[in-house]
Amino acid sequence: MLYVKIHELRKRKFKVAQIAKELKISRPTVYKYLEMTFDEARAYTEQLLGRKKKLDHYKDWILAWLEEYPHLSSAQIHDWLLERYPDLLVGGSTVRSYVKDIREFYQIEKKVIVRQYEAVPEQPMGKQLQVDWGETKQKTMDNKEIKLYFMAFVLAHSRHKYMEWQTRPFTTRDAIRCHENAFRFYGGRTEEIVYDQDHLITVSENAGQLLLTAEFQSYVNERKFNVRLCRRADPESKGMIENVVKYIKGNFADSRVFRDIEDWNDRALQWLQRTGNHQVHQTTKKRPAEVFLLEKQHLQPVSLLLSYESTNNQSITRSVSKDNTIRYKSNRYSVPFGTYQTMTENLVWIEVTGDGQQTLVIRREANGEIISEHLISLEKGKLIQNRHHTRDRSKGIEELKQRLISYFEDRTQAAAYFDEISQRYPRYRRDQFAIIHKVIQQYPVLIDTVMTKCMTEKLYNANDFRDIAHHLDTLRDESMKEVPSFYTNPAKHPPIKASTRSLNAYTSILGGRA
């Protein structure tokens, strides 16, 4: 197909450069196909298809992604491959070359948007952090669309990045929370932070005199960093963070499916570790994660909590996740089961106490009753859980068992039967008891007889219990009697004598004569 298109354009007097631009291929490729006959081009194509390449095993994935999202970059495809195949060892140049060949062979055009930036001076280590906000629209698991908001950070020297997402627009308190999380992520703060003139942090800028919002001004006074605002309509003065926002939108968020906000933030941190801070930066030609190890030593330490919040009798808030945990310093801490509620804000107040081994105190209200306390872990990625905060699953099963025992006349026998089932099927006790409970509701007059039969024959299984009850009920329906005498005490059920009619009664009914 490529051979035919090239020769058709050549017959229409297109120049080589015009053909290359029209078909989005290189000029050497055009020259090569112009010098070939059709049979030579077919043989060459078959040779290319038969040649083994490192990414051939993933070709179907790459081709499917490019056909559905033609704008994808090779860097994003590289990240998607690493996300699905973490053990894949392949360089960026190999992916770029392979993606380029697939685009040329299958004629998949890529739209490129070029934006010009002004070069900015290199910043010393620990000097500057740039911050900006962004938003995207993502497809959900049920193919709906949701709007997400994020806050991005980048260290100006190492280009080490951090981001945090939420499903609603940011408030000033949200911005402060994200600053604190970013400082914990970096292990300190820089001397100055660069912002756009956003309404969350500024009221106005009067000839260089900054007027910050009251809440953010208190925060700046506490953390003691310098605020630098960019001039309006001058994004180049913070071009690094502009590129980061674009990078996050175009690589991480583009075409990614949203499940829930906790999963989305977890995947964002994984992307930062795998791609955002690991891939070689095109300007510095270094990996941000490696340069950050040096820059981290130049950051200024920050305290765990804000003193101005303590003097105002306030605490830092945290959102309660659906699994009834909160996040603090890269770990999850449990709160009592049922703390999370739908259709509410689900905020709790936290406080750190102690000098040596510090304790995390969690309250429902700023000065309310303590609902949870945990010793703060120095590790990362751990779940610190109080066993009293989990659901007592055994309690529900025990209540169900006692309720089932109460239906039987011989409760001692029933208790022994259910204890034996619990020992034989510890993982399926609830299922076994549920089957027997259904039998009790369906055949209430037979359950004592069935229990005796099961104990006699040592049939400790709910399915056997159900089958015997069904069998006895079938026999009772067929004979229109109570349970057969060989299953019960004959003395309690004397035989029933059927009534008899004279022959004249039958001939009268049939219309005959006596």
Side-chain angles (χ1 to χ4, degrees):
M1 184 181 297
L2 183 60
Y3 173 87
V4 172
K5 288 183 177 181
I6 291 175
H7 280 266
E8 284 181 353
L9 294 176
R10 190 61 171 174
K11 289 179 182 178
R12 293 164 55 186
K13 306 302 182 183
F14 274 61
K15 296 180 180 179
V16 171
Q18 293 174 323
I19 296 174
K21 184 177 180 181
E22 178 70 21
L23 299 180
K24 302 296 185 295
I25 58 178
S26 63
R27 280 180 292 180
T29 302
V30 177
Y31 282 116
K32 180 172 57 181
Y33 277 99
L34 286 175
E35 295 172 357
M36 292 180 181
T37 64
F38 181 79
D39 292 334
E40 289 173 342
R42 182 171 59 183
Y44 174 73
T45 303
E46 292 175 353
Q47 180 184 0
L48 287 179
L49 294 175
R51 185 186 302 168
K52 297 293 184 181
K53 294 186 178 180
K54 189 171 185 178
L55 292 175
D56 281 344
H57 182 68
Y58 314 97
K59 179 181 177 181
D60 291 340
W61 276 109
I62 297 174
L63 182 58
W65 291 335
L66 289 176
E67 287 178 342
E68 187 171 1
Y69 311 109
H71 61 281
L72 291 181
S73 65
S74 60
Q76 190 172 1
I77 289 177
H78 191 187
D79 176 66
W80 284 16
L81 286 172
L82 293 177
E83 182 177 15
R84 284 160 178 78
Y85 306 99
D87 298 330
L88 176 63
L89 298 176
V90 62
S93 59
T94 303
V95 178
R96 284 194 298 273
S97 177
Y98 195 81
V99 170
K100 177 176 175 292
D101 291 342
I102 288 183
R103 285 190 182 278
E104 286 192 358
F105 187 80
Y106 291 97
Q107 290 293 283
I108 301 175
E109 181 182 353
K110 178 184 178 182
K111 296 181 180 180
V112 179
I113 301 175
V114 179
R115 181 178 180 182
Q116 300 296 329
Y117 291 93
E118 181 183 351
V120 295
E122 189 71 21
Q123 295 292 330
M125 292 186 180
K127 174 66 176 179
Q128 186 182 98
L129 179 70
Q130 296 189 6
V131 181
D132 202 1
W133 289 262
E135 57 186 56
T136 64
K137 291 183 178 180
Q138 306 295 145
K139 290 290 185 181
T140 61
M141 298 292 290
D142 53 1
N143 206 30
K144 295 182 180 179
E145 196 172 69
I146 185 173
K147 198 168 187 179
L148 298 180
Y149 306 83
F150 68 93
M151 191 172 179
F153 301 77
V154 62
L155 289 172
H157 179 83
S158 63
R159 270 68 166 186
H160 203 259
K161 293 165 281 292
Y162 175 74
M163 59 175 159
E164 193 163 332
W165 295 76
Q166 59 187 44
T167 55
R168 54 180 172 78
F170 278 81
T171 64
T172 303
R173 182 170 290 274
D174 292 328
I176 293 174
R177 185 194 72 244
C178 290
H179 276 75
E180 290 298 293
N181 292 339
F183 293 159
R184 283 190 288 270
F185 178 79
Y186 289 127
R189 65 162 179 83
T190 55
E191 293 181 18
E192 71 174 14
I193 302 181
V194 178
Y195 304 93
D196 202 349
Q197 294 190 14
D198 194 278
H199 70 281
L200 298 180
I201 62 174
T202 61
V203 177
S204 66
E205 182 184 17
N206 185 12
Q209 184 177 5
L210 304 181
L211 295 178
L212 303 180
T213 61
E215 191 170 11
F216 196 74
Q217 184 64 65
S218 298
Y219 178 68
V220 172
N221 293 341
E222 168 66 20
R223 287 308 186 202
K224 296 181 175 59
F225 57 81
N226 298 322
V227 175
R228 177 182 162 195
L229 294 184
C230 298
R231 297 188 303 273
R232 292 189 182 276
D234 183 25
E236 284 74 16
S237 58
K238 58 180 182 67
M240 295 179 193
I241 191 62
E242 290 281 339
N243 280 328
V244 169
V245 170
K246 178 183 175 182
Y247 188 29
I248 291 172
K249 289 181 178 181
N251 191 300
F252 170 72
D254 183 39
S255 307
R256 195 179 292 270
V257 179
F258 176 82
R259 295 187 181 91
D260 57 67
I261 194 61
E262 289 84 7
D263 169 75
W264 189 263
N265 274 308
D266 287 340
R267 294 164 73 187
L269 291 177
Q270 294 170 13
W271 177 85
L272 287 173
Q273 182 178 9
R274 179 182 65 246
T275 299
N277 292 323
H278 177 74
Q279 298 295 335
V280 175
H281 195 276
Q282 294 302 310
T283 302
T284 64
K285 305 301 180 185
K286 300 176 182 178
R287 300 184 190 274
E290 295 176 356
V291 183
F292 171 69
L293 295 178
L294 297 175
E295 185 174 16
K296 184 177 181 179
Q297 304 174 20
H298 296 265
L299 298 177
Q300 301 184 23
V302 294
S303 58
L304 291 178
L305 290 181
L306 301 172
S307 61
Y308 84 87
E309 289 187 326
S310 298
T311 57
N312 292 338
N313 294 324
Q314 297 177 350
S315 301
I316 291 180
T317 59
R318 286 292 187 272
S319 296
V320 181
S321 303
K322 290 187 292 186
D323 58 357
N324 288 283
T325 62
I326 64 166
R327 293 183 179 273
Y328 179 72
K329 296 190 69 174
S330 302
N331 290 314
R332 291 184 298 155
Y333 294 85
S334 68
V335 293
F337 185 80
T339 301
Y340 177 86
Q341 300 290 332
T342 57
M343 306 302 291
T344 63
E345 196 173 9
N346 286 306
L347 288 180
V348 293
W349 277 255
I350 66 172
E351 180 184 354
V352 175
T353 61
D355 297 327
Q357 179 67 58
Q358 295 181 317
T359 301
L360 180 66
V361 179
I362 306 174
R363 293 181 171 90
R364 262 295 192 187
E365 303 294 338
N367 297 313
E369 181 181 355
I370 297 176
I371 62 172
S372 181
E373 290 184 279
H374 296 280
L375 293 178
I376 294 179
S377 173
L378 300 179
E379 300 181 80
K380 291 187 177 181
K382 297 296 183 180
L383 170 63
I384 294 86
Q385 190 174 41
N386 187 326
R387 62 185 182 87
H388 297 297
H389 294 167
T390 59
R391 180 189 302 168
D392 189 357
R393 294 172 173 82
S394 62
K395 181 179 179 181
I397 296 177
E398 185 63 27
E399 290 179 352
L400 175 59
K401 184 176 79 170
Q402 295 301 324
R403 189 165 69 251
L404 294 179
I405 292 174
S406 65
Y407 288 112
F408 295 88
E409 292 184 2
D410 190 346
R411 297 188 178 184
T412 302
Q413 177 181 255
Y417 181 74
F418 288 118
D419 286 342
E420 185 66 28
I421 286 181
S422 298
Q423 293 180 4
R424 295 193 180 199
Y425 309 99
R427 293 182 57 187
Y428 303 99
R429 291 175 297 167
R430 187 182 296 276
D431 297 330
Q432 291 276 319
F433 293 167
I435 294 174
I436 295 176
H437 186 233
K438 190 173 182 179
V439 173
I440 292 173
Q441 293 176 324
Q442 190 172 0
Y443 311 110
V445 298
L446 300 177
I447 59 174
D448 289 304
T449 303
V450 175
M451 176 62 73
T452 301
K453 180 65 177 177
C454 287
M455 291 294 288
T456 303
E457 300 294 335
K458 300 186 183 306
L459 301 175
Y460 301 106
N461 187 289
N463 293 323
D464 293 334
F465 192 96
R466 179 193 58 201
D467 293 343
I468 292 175
H470 179 69
H471 177 65
L472 293 180
D473 185 68
T474 302
L475 293 178
R476 184 178 61 173
D477 290 343
E478 289 176 353
S479 62
M480 296 300 293
K481 299 178 181 179
E482 294 294 332
V483 182
S485 59
F486 56 87
Y487 280 119
T488 58
N489 187 351
K492 293 184 179 180
H493 302 278
I496 300 175
K497 184 177 181 181
S499 60
T500 58
R501 298 173 183 264
S502 64
L503 184 61
N504 292 335
Y506 290 104
T507 56
S508 174
I509 294 172
L510 295 175
R513 296 180 180 177

